[in-house]
């Protein structure tokens, strides 16, 4: 099948490299690719309107057009906002935090196609209240603890697990010592989080580094002594002389409306005292690659770290993200685990990874551009294996069937209940790649308004409206939505509870009961065709993205008690239930 993404005769550079790795892959039908795109980019199956429009569109440009359309749709930012939220352990609710603020920040950043390095810098260098600067939730999640932040940053942005070195030299990273671990954490020692009561102006105008009492020991000795003296003086001259009413008034005045990240430039991190090694000194910051920066007094060490991390010379930062995106879209990884790239890691398809890194750099770290480049390839559109194919378990040659995530499943079930959306409305052929395989200038800035999580949401139209972590009793929790205590902690194991929930649960039951009503797409299709057989086919096309096989239509026709030209809602409800419980519906194929 000729590619739908680039000029006639031109070959996608990614496909050239991919065929070196797997020369004999074949591409799937356009309708299969559309369903795959919708689930990967928007987290849901295509709507009936999109499917009908797709069939009528120009075969040479319809897949490309829908790829761009999906990337600009709010659904992309909503679904990928959830994916990034899972990696960043976002929780909808938190002490003195506006509900859903961090998710909205992530989703809007994706919607506007904000460069990834900019997004990361904003989070690492954030301060202030979450209400005014939601990126600050990056620190509030861990209470600003520099050790927790260091471990998290190492795994998420650099795929290096340094946590073992908190107590002793790292057993699996040669030469990585406990001091190296504390050197990394020292980059994040200047910030602290307060969410209760704090008076930042207590010593305003005085050369005093004012920090919470539990952090005082991490100041240089001279500053520690000065702060302790000033605190003692303040208590003698103020607090100890105040009445109970005055103390309460002071606390009320300085009660924080929102959790806040503060910065104190003189704060450092002292190496702990142990029996087998000296300690008590303020640790010098050290990068993850073992090098040490030159830092001037008073500099924000987080900025120095984020500049090093996102520097164009640091390809590892980019490749860690590329591997995450590639794994989701393609079903196999350049390396695993996604957060552990160590000395024993064997890279698979390294030439492709290096190529995508160059593309990502050229596109200025724009995530949508990288995704468009990948889904523009025949490699992404490769077919899945059937029983007759050789080596059907080869994930590189064949697209491996992927079980729907909790969000994809709930969204797809919702879409099956006739939630319609506008399809591709382009009037010109969409060709994302020029003759040289370069991405053309396409504005992928999102259009429309993003949905956000709600507390105890009702009448939802998208899983994004459910708070995270998903409450225990909800459909999302049953199907593996994680607790957000660790990076990407959703689980994909199939459970008996899931099977029973799909068969007899409230969500499936309501969708099945409501299916085929007077305003539904099956009823409209029947009114148009006066044929139950054609209505059956429409149901298959809408829910599975393909037309019914002749054998399936023959079987269904035999089940009809009434003539083919008489509407039978009950059999449509049974068909809907059967499809929603089928492996084909429950997987990305």
């Amino acid at each position: 099948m000729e590619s739908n993404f680039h000029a006639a005769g031109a070959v996608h550079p990614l496909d050239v490299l991919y065929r070196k790795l797997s020369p004999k892959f074949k591409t799937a039908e356009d309708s299969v690719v559309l369903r795959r795109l919708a689930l990967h980019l928007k987290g849901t199956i295509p709507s009936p309107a999109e499917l009908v429009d797709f069939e009528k569109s120009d075969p040479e440009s319809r897949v490309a057009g829908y790829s761009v359309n999906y990337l600009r749709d709010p659904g992309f930012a909503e679904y990928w906002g959830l994916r990034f939220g899972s990696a960043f352990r976002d929780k909808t609710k938190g002490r003195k935090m506006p509900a859903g603020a961090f998710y909205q920040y992530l989703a809007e950043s994706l919607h506007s196609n904000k460069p990834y390095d900019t997004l990361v810098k904003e989070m690492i260098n954030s301060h202030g209240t979450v209400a005014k600067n939601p990126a600050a939730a990056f620190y509030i999640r861990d209470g600003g603890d520099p050790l927790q932040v260091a471990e998290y940053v190492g795994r998420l942005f650099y795929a290096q697990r340094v946590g073992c070195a908190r107590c002793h030299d790292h057993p699996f990273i040669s030469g990585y010592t406990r001091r190296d671990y504390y050197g990394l954490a020292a980059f994040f020692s200047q910030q602290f989080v307060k969410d209760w009561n704090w008076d930042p102006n207590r010593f305003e105008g005085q050369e005093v580094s004012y920090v919470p009492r539990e952090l005082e020991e991490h100041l240089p000795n001279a500053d520690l002594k000065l702060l302790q003296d000033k605190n003692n003086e303040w208590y003698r001259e103020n607090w100890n002389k105040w009445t109970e009413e005055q103390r309460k008034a002071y606390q009320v005045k300085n009660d924080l409306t929102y959790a806040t990240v503060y910065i104190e430039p003189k704060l450092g991190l002292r190496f702990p005292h142990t029996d087998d090694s000296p300690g008590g000194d303020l640790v010098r910051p050290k990068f993850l690659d073992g090098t040490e920066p030159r830092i001037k007094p008073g500099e924000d060490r987080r900025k120095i770290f984020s500049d090093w991390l996102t520097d164009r010379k640091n390809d590892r930062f980019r490749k860690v993200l590329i591997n995450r995106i590639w794994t989701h879209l393609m079903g196999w990884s350049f390396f695993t685990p996604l957060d552990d790239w160590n000395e024993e890691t064997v890279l698979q398809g390294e030439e492709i990874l290096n190529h995508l890194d160059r593309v990502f750099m050229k596109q200025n770290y724009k995530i949508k551009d990288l995704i468009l480049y990948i889904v523009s390839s025949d490699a992404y559109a490769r077919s899945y294996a059937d029983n007759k194919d050789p080596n059907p378990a080869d994930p590189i040659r064949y697209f491996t069937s992927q079980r729907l995530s909790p969000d994809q499943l709930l969204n797809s079930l919702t879409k099956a209940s006739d939630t319609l959306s506008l399809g591709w409305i382009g009037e010109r052929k969409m060709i994302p790649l020029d003759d040289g395989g370069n991405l053309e200038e396409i504005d992928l800035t999102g259009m429309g308004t993003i949905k956000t999580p709600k507390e105890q949401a009702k009448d939802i139209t998208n899983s994004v409206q459910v708070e995270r972590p998903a409450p225990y009793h909800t459909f999302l929790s049953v199907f593996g939505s994680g607790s957000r205590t660790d990076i990407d902690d959703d689980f994909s194991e199939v459970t008996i509870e899931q099977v029973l929930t799909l068969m007899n649960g409230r969500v499936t039951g309501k969708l099945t009961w409501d299916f085929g009503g007077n305003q539904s797409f099956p009823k409209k299709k029947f009114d148009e065709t006066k044929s139950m057989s054609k209505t059956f086919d429409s149901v298959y096309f809408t829910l599975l993205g393909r037309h019914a096989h002749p054998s399936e239509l023959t079987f269904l026709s035999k089940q009809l008690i009434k003539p083919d030209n008489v509407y039978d809602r009950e059999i449509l409800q049974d068909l809907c239930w059967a499809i929603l419980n089928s492996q084909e519906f429950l997987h990305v194929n």
Side-chain angles (χ1 to χ4, degrees):
M1 182 184 295
E2 181 179 300
S3 171
N4 293 324
F5 292 94
H6 34 84
V11 179
H12 197 306
L14 180 56
D15 290 327
V16 175
L17 298 176
Y18 204 91
R19 290 198 181 275
K20 290 182 181 181
L21 202 61
S22 182
K24 298 183 178 180
F25 76 82
K26 298 178 182 179
T27 54
E29 295 297 320
D30 281 357
S31 59
V32 173
V33 178
L34 177 68
R35 187 176 189 269
R36 189 182 299 172
L37 277 169
L39 285 165
H40 277 162
L41 302 191
K42 291 177 39 174
T44 184
I45 59 175
S47 71
E50 290 169 345
L51 288 160
V52 171
D53 173 81
F54 182 80
E55 278 208 322
K56 296 177 182 178
S57 300
D58 182 355
E60 292 186 12
S61 62
R62 59 189 180 186
V63 176
Y66 266 88
S67 298
V68 173
N69 195 43
Y70 284 164
L71 286 166
R72 298 179 70 187
D73 191 278
F76 170 82
E78 291 165 357
Y79 174 61
W80 281 77
L82 288 174
R83 292 193 60 79
F84 273 69
S86 180
F88 292 129
R89 304 168 301 153
D90 168 50
K91 291 189 175 183
T92 301
K93 295 183 291 187
R95 176 175 169 76
K96 295 201 171 181
M97 292 177 62
F102 191 47
Y103 167 81
Q104 188 169 358
Y105 163 74
L106 293 173
E108 288 179 350
S109 296
L110 291 164
H111 199 44
S112 65
N113 207 15
K114 181 184 293 180
Y116 182 60
D117 57 338
T118 301
L119 174 68
V120 172
K121 282 185 174 182
E122 286 178 354
M123 291 188 292
I124 290 179
N125 299 325
S126 63
H127 59 88
T129 70
V130 180
K132 293 183 178 179
N133 184 14
F138 180 78
Y139 289 112
I140 290 173
R141 178 68 177 77
D142 289 313
D145 181 348
L147 303 184
Q148 289 289 98
V149 172
E151 293 181 17
Y152 176 50
V153 165
R155 291 174 59 196
L156 187 61
F157 299 132
Y158 206 70
Q160 186 163 308
R161 298 181 180 179
V162 300
C164 285
R166 180 184 286 210
C167 301
H168 47 72
D169 292 350
H170 206 294
F172 305 119
I173 303 176
S174 59
Y176 197 85
T177 68
R178 193 181 185 202
R179 275 199 171 269
D180 293 332
Y181 171 90
Y182 276 85
L184 173 62
F187 283 109
F188 308 103
S189 62
Q190 292 170 303
Q191 87 275 329
F192 61 91
V193 173
K194 298 297 291 184
D195 62 2
W196 184 252
N197 187 281
W198 185 249
D199 178 9
N201 301 315
R202 176 178 289 186
F203 301 122
E204 188 174 13
Q206 304 180 52
E207 294 296 322
V208 180
S209 298
Y210 181 44
V211 299
R213 189 172 297 276
E214 64 271 15
L215 297 179
E216 290 178 357
E217 64 174 302
H218 297 292
L219 289 170
N221 292 333
D223 294 278
L224 170 60
K225 179 66 167 59
L226 178 60
L227 175 59
Q228 290 175 335
D229 290 343
K230 287 292 184 181
N231 265 330
N232 290 336
E233 178 184 338
W234 185 86
Y235 273 96
R236 284 196 309 271
E237 299 301 323
N238 296 281
W239 186 264
N240 294 343
K241 294 181 179 180
W242 288 346
T243 64
E244 190 65 28
E245 289 74 16
Q246 288 175 314
R247 291 176 179 177
K248 288 182 179 180
Y250 176 79
Q251 291 174 328
V252 170
K253 176 184 176 182
N254 293 292
D255 183 53
L256 297 175
T257 305
Y258 295 106
T260 305
V261 177
Y262 292 97
I263 302 296
E264 172 44 58
K266 290 187 178 181
L267 265 176
L269 184 64
R270 292 193 183 275
F271 193 73
H273 290 278
T274 57
D275 294 336
D276 57 351
S277 63
D281 57 304
L282 291 171
V283 180
R284 292 173 59 87
K286 181 180 285 189
F287 295 124
L288 281 157
D289 64 0
T291 60
E292 293 187 17
R294 293 182 178 180
I295 302 177
K296 299 177 182 177
E299 278 191 288
D300 188 339
R301 294 193 287 271
R302 306 174 312 164
K303 183 179 186 305
I304 293 171
F305 178 83
S306 67
D307 287 345
W308 168 83
L309 180 68
T310 61
D311 190 279
R312 296 178 78 85
K313 296 178 182 178
N314 190 359
D315 63 331
R316 183 165 172 145
F317 167 71
R318 297 185 298 272
K319 289 177 178 177
V320 168
L321 176 72
I322 292 169
N323 189 44
R324 285 182 173 276
I325 292 174
W326 178 268
T327 299
H328 180 61
L329 297 176
M330 301 296 288
W332 61 273
S333 306
F334 296 116
F335 63 85
T336 57
L338 303 184
D339 64 343
D340 187 12
W341 185 356
N342 57 57
E343 297 163 357
E344 298 181 359
T345 297
V346 177
L347 290 178
Q348 182 176 224
E350 186 173 7
E351 191 176 3
I352 296 175
L353 177 59
N354 291 335
H355 172 71
L356 292 174
D357 180 50
R358 291 190 292 271
V359 171
F360 194 39
M361 252 201 313
K362 186 176 181 180
Q363 297 304 122
N364 295 317
Y365 296 68
K366 292 182 178 179
I367 292 172
K368 287 187 182 182
D369 294 51
L370 174 64
I371 291 175
L372 179 60
Y373 190 79
I374 294 172
V375 302
S376 296
S377 68
D378 288 344
Y380 173 76
R382 69 197 188 284
S383 63
Y384 55 90
D386 60 35
N387 296 331
K388 300 177 182 178
D389 287 322
N391 302 319
D394 181 358
I396 299 178
R397 180 172 179 177
Y398 307 105
F399 184 88
T400 303
S401 184
Q402 303 169 353
R403 186 166 177 258
L404 297 186
S405 70
D407 296 293
Q408 288 174 328
L409 179 56
L410 182 58
N411 289 341
S412 297
L413 289 170
T414 305
K415 190 64 66 71
S417 67
D418 293 1
T419 302
L420 304 182
S421 63
L422 189 62
W424 168 241
I425 58 174
E427 299 295 334
R428 299 185 177 91
K429 288 186 178 181
M430 181 63 68
I431 306 176
L433 301 185
D434 63 19
D435 291 339
N438 299 305
L439 277 167
E440 294 194 34
E441 290 296 326
I442 300 174
D443 184 6
L444 295 177
T445 303
M447 302 177 66
T449 304
I450 298 170
K451 300 181 184 71
T452 56
K454 303 176 181 177
E455 295 186 50
Q456 300 179 342
K458 297 180 181 179
D459 300 322
I460 67 168
T461 59
N462 191 292
S463 69
V464 73
Q465 295 169 292
V466 180
E467 63 186 78
R468 304 304 161 107
Y472 175 78
H473 63 279
T474 62
F475 183 93
L476 291 173
S477 182
V478 170
F479 282 87
S481 184
S483 62
R484 298 288 175 90
T485 57
D486 198 6
I487 298 172
D488 296 326
D489 62 4
D490 291 353
F491 69 88
S492 57
E493 292 79 8
V494 178
T495 67
I496 293 296
E497 184 182 16
Q498 293 170 1
V499 175
L500 295 176
T501 298
L502 276 175
M503 292 176 65
N504 305 307
R506 293 182 179 180
V507 174
T508 309
K510 176 171 175 51
L511 293 179
T512 302
W513 181 259
D514 292 344
F515 197 75
N518 288 334
Q519 300 303 315
S520 68
F521 73 85
K523 184 61 166 64
K524 292 176 182 177
K525 187 67 176 180
F526 179 82
D527 291 341
E528 174 190 337
T529 63
K530 300 301 180 184
S531 168
M532 284 299 295
S533 293
K534 292 181 179 178
T535 303
F536 291 148
D537 182 69
S538 174
V539 173
Y540 272 87
F541 187 56
T542 300
L543 299 186
L544 297 177
R546 65 167 176 84
H547 291 286
H549 298 306
S551 60
E552 293 168 327
L553 292 178
T554 299
F555 173 81
L556 288 168
S557 296
K558 290 180 180 179
Q559 311 309 310
L560 286 171
I561 299 176
K562 305 174 184 177
D564 185 70
N565 62 354
V566 176
Y567 189 66
D568 188 340
R569 183 181 181 185
E570 186 173 342
I571 195 172
L572 289 174
Q573 291 172 325
D574 291 343
L575 176 60
C576 172
W577 182 90
I579 290 178
L580 296 184
N581 280 275
S582 71
Q583 292 303 303
E584 186 174 356
F585 180 82
L586 298 174
H587 286 78
V588 184
N589 295 308

